[in-house]
């Protein structure tokens, strides 16, 4: 157990102080790599998903992939312009949850938050699975190990993100820009070969198993809409940019839309020109690469950077999922542990939770992209629609300069994304989308149950109805025989009872509170003077957000003043009604007791308050 801190420091790096938060910001180039890799990498499988649907109607239907791609690009333009308005209105970061909750109400906000959470988990699953598919396309011998490879990649991504935002930005820039360069090289060389007549002139014979219909075309359109997943990430992560944050975020979103649009339409055009037909064990990008570059080193370079960027595409979720969990946890709809900053100024618990959920889905779906795709995009288009509808309401309330043009743009975005959402649900429902349609209300119900629990705990621990108390200071005895030190997390009923117990056993009492950056110290001291004026309260600042070490050090210093007597350390703790409720509360008390019991000349006791 003693080796754990050293191993953790070696793997993740040294802890960063809270004051370094402003340094952990991203330049536009780094932000494009960290926040946009999901959207950019979708060109590796979006065209393929359109073709996989159309191929059932025979070779004549495959030519429809290009007009479908153009329609998706038009939708992309609407979404990008709409989210630029959101960034302008919410310069501190306006994710779908915040925008929908502030403008449409609590439940629309929770639906948006739940939808995005599900979609972020699916993004990691799809991206990792697609990246592994790119690797197994190039090296077919690895196909039996698909699930194991997916789990290894998830673990490596988790470690990279636990090292911090700035560090992950450096790691992810090279593969992202190498992928963009390789796709544009593929398109340019492919177009050159087409112009010089070096392409396959017709499709091979394809059996027709489905009739071409409007519903069938809409199903292909909904499959291709996976190209839009991840576009909202920049508006969620405005505060990850260097100042001026919102201006840099808007500019980066414009770059994202332009690059994504050109790559997507380019790949789809080449797939049409080269008469590419989806094949088992081969991605469309791999098939195009072999046609254009042969089995040359350039082909393998394209496959390797495609693998890397698809793995990093999951990083968009790693950048935004923990931040979304923070907002929900801060508002009391998720466990409070998800609101805590880790050693590297990232929400470590959110990163670990995302990794576990994605790993479970990879195992369930055996790392097969086509098995997960039907579930994909329902969540993101639900959040798109609610966010844009919320923005329309926002502009009508604010009526700031230029609000009418912004309202029209967001209204257009809301209508377009709502229509696409209906198309996706209707065409993918029986293929697996029903799972997400059912999961969203289940997740929202979980949010509400967690919030209800926190409200109950707050009500039971509240000190509002306790009248101010005054104590006559006791004269300090000449010889201290029983000193006590009370650990104060929050000033609540549990703390009050622990202090009352301390008064019955000790002739000197000191209270200590650790501020990890979230305490209003003046307010706490004022409340303390009203209720516990006879006991001094020491507030310790913890720049590294650790609670255990500052308390252990304070206790050691306190004991130096009383070397020949036992010191009693009193830790207030409340006990929940059900054992499973304890999952919603951090286990600081347990870790603190273990740390403090290392020395024999002290008594560590817990005063329990039963809810």
């Amino acid at each position: 157990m003693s080796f754990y801190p050293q191993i953790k420091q070696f793997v993740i790096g040294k802890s960063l102080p809270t004051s370094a938060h402003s340094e952990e910001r991203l330049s536009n180039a780094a932000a494009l790599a960290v926040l946009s890799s999901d959207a950019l990498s979708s060109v590796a499988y979006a065209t393929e998903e359109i073709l996989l649907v159309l191929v059932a109607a025979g070779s004549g239907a495959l030519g429809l992939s290009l007009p479908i791609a153009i329609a998706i690009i038009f939708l992309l333009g609407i979404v990008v312009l709409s989210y630029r308005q959101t960034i302008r209105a919410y310069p501190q970061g306006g994710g779908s949850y915040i925008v929908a909750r502030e403008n449409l109400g609590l439940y629309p906000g929770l639906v948006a938050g739940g939808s995005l959470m599900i979609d972020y988990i699916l993004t990691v699953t799809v991206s990792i699975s697609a990246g592994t598919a790119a690797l197994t396309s190039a090296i077919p011998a690895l196909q039996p190990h698909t699930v194991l490879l997916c789990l290894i990649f998830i673990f490596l991504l988790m470690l990279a993100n636990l090292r911090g935002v700035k560090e992950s930005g450096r790691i992810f820039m090279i593969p992202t820009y190498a992928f963009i360069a390789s796709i544009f090289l593929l398109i340019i060389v492919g177009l050159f070969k087409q112009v010089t007549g070096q392409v396959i002139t017709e499709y091979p014979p394809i059996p027709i198993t489905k009739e071409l219909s409007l519903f069938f075309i809409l199903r292909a359109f909904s499959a291709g809409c996976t190209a839009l997943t991840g576009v909202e990430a920049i508006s969620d992560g405005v505060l990850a940019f260097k100042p001026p944050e919102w201006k840099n975020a808007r500019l980066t979103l414009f770059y994202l839309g332009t690059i994504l649009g050109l790559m997507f339409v380019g790949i789809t055009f080449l797939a049409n020109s080269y008469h590419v037909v989806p094949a088992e064990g081969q991605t469309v990008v791999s098939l195009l690469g072999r046609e254009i570059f042969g089995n040359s080193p350039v082909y393998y370079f394209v496959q390797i950077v495609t693998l890397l960027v698809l793995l990093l595409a999951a990083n968009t979720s790693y950048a935004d999922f923990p931040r979304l969990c923070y907002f929900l946890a801060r508002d009391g709809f998720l466990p409070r542990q998800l609101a805590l900053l880790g050693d590297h100024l990232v929400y470590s618990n959110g990163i670990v939770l995302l990794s576990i959920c994605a790993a479970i889905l990879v195992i369930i779906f055996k790392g097969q992209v086509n098995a997960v795709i039907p579930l994909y995009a329902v969540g993101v288009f639900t959040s798109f629609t609610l966010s844009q509808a919320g923005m329309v309401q926002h502009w009508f309330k604010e009526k700031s300069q230029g609000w009418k043009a912004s309202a029209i743009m967001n209204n257009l975005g809301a209508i377009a994304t709502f229509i696409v959402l209906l198309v996706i649900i209707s065409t993918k429902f029986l293929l697996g989308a029903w799972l997400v349609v059912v999961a969203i209300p289940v997740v929202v119900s979980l949010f509400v149950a967690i919030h209800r629990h926190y409200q109950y705990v707050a009500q039971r621990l509240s000190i509002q109805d306790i009248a101010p108390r005054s104590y006559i200071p006791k004269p300090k005895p000449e010889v201290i025989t029983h000193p006590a030190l009370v650990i104060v997390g929050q000033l609540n009923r549990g703390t009050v009872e622990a202090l009352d117990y301390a008064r019955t056993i000790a002739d000197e009492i000191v209270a200590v509170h650790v501020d990890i950056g979230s305490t209003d110290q003046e307010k706490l001291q004022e409340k303390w003077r009203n209720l516990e004026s006879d006991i001094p309260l020491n507030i310790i600042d913890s720049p590294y957000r650790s609670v255990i070490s500052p308390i252990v050090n304070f206790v050691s210093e306190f004991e130096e003043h009383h070397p020949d007597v036992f010191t009693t350390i009193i830790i207030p703790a409340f006990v929940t009604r059900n054992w499973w409720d304890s999952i919603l509360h951090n286990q600081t008390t347990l870790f603190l007791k273990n740390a403090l019991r290392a020395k024999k000349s002290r008594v560590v006791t817990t005063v329990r308050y039963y809810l």
Side-chain angles (χ1 to χ4, degrees), residues 268 382 427 475 498:
T268 310
T382 301
T427 56

Side-chain angles (χ1 to χ4, degrees), residues 245-518:
E245 294 88 348
W246 70 275
K247 288 185 178 179
N248 286 327
R250 275 168 64 97
L251 188 60
T252 306
L253 182 59
F254 173 75
Y255 292 152
L256 163 64
T258 305
I259 295 169
L260 173 58
L262 290 173
M263 290 199 301
F264 180 43
V265 80
I267 291 287
T268 310
F269 180 79
L270 286 183
N272 270 271
S273 301
Y274 282 76
H275 299 89
V276 170
V277 179
E280 184 71 29
Q282 289 288 317
T283 64
V284 165
V285 172
S286 174
L287 292 168
L288 274 174
R290 286 190 195 276
E291 285 290 336
I292 295 167
F293 298 123
N295 285 324
S296 66
V298 181
Y299 162 75
Y300 286 100
F301 175 75
V302 172
Q303 288 304 102
I304 290 168
V305 294
T306 301
L307 158 68
L308 291 175
V309 83
L310 281 163
L311 299 181
L312 303 186
N315 197 65
T316 299
S317 291
Y318 277 100
D320 279 347
F321 179 91
R323 195 177 287 114
L324 173 62
C325 288
Y326 159 74
F327 287 126
L328 285 161
R330 181 197 64 184
D331 295 342
F333 295 104
L334 278 178
R336 293 269 165 80
Q337 297 94 310
L338 293 169
L340 300 176
L341 277 173
D343 290 344
H344 273 249
L345 301 172
V346 291
Y347 299 106
S348 306
N349 292 328
I351 289 169
V352 173
L353 175 64
L354 175 60
S355 302
I356 292 169
C357 292
I360 291 169
L361 285 183
V362 161
I363 293 168
I364 291 172
F365 291 102
K366 300 179 181 177
Q368 298 301 311
V369 182
N370 298 336
V372 189
I373 284 288
L375 283 69
Y376 206 30
V378 174
V380 77
F381 275 92
T382 301
S383 63
F384 276 175
T385 303
L386 289 170
S387 174
Q388 297 310 306
M391 284 306 303
V392 174
Q393 183 73 7
H394 169 83
W395 295 123
F396 273 93
K397 284 194 296 185
E398 291 285 314
K399 293 189 177 179
S400 55
Q401 186 178 1
W403 72 272
K404 287 184 180 179
S406 297
I408 290 169
M409 192 67 252
N410 285 126
N411 195 38
L412 180 61
I415 293 168
T417 52
F418 180 65
I419 292 169
V420 173
L421 174 63
L422 294 179
V423 169
I424 290 171
I425 292 173
S426 61
T427 56
K428 291 186 175 182
F429 190 80
L430 296 178
L431 297 173
W434 66 270
L435 281 168
V436 180
V437 174
V438 170
I440 290 171
V442 170
V443 170
V444 170
S445 300
L446 183 65
F447 290 161
V448 173
I450 290 171
H451 191 63
R452 192 181 297 123
H453 169 78
Y454 282 133
Q455 284 183 317
Y456 170 77
V457 170
Q459 182 185 353
R460 294 287 289 118
L461 292 176
S462 174
I463 57 171
Q464 283 188 345
D465 57 346
I466 298 179
R469 307 193 291 182
S470 58
Y471 293 92
I472 300 171
K474 293 180 181 178
K476 188 174 181 178
E478 293 183 9
V479 179
I480 302 296
T481 59
H482 200 154
L485 197 150
V486 182
I487 312 297
V488 177
Q490 294 176 327
L491 184 52
N492 54 39
R493 284 185 176 274
T495 308
V496 169
E497 289 201 1
L499 291 164
D500 288 343
Y501 168 71
R503 289 187 182 95
T504 65
I505 64 165
D507 47 15
E508 182 183 8
I509 308 168
V510 172
V512 60
H513 169 82
V514 177
D515 179 10
I516 60 172
S518 56

Side-chain angles (χ1 to χ4, degrees), residues 188-205:
I188 291 165
V189 176
L191 289 174
F192 174 78
K193 285 197 168 188
Q194 185 201 12
V195 170
T196 54
Q198 304 175 51
V199 297
I200 298 169
T201 55
E202 60 181 22
Y203 287 106

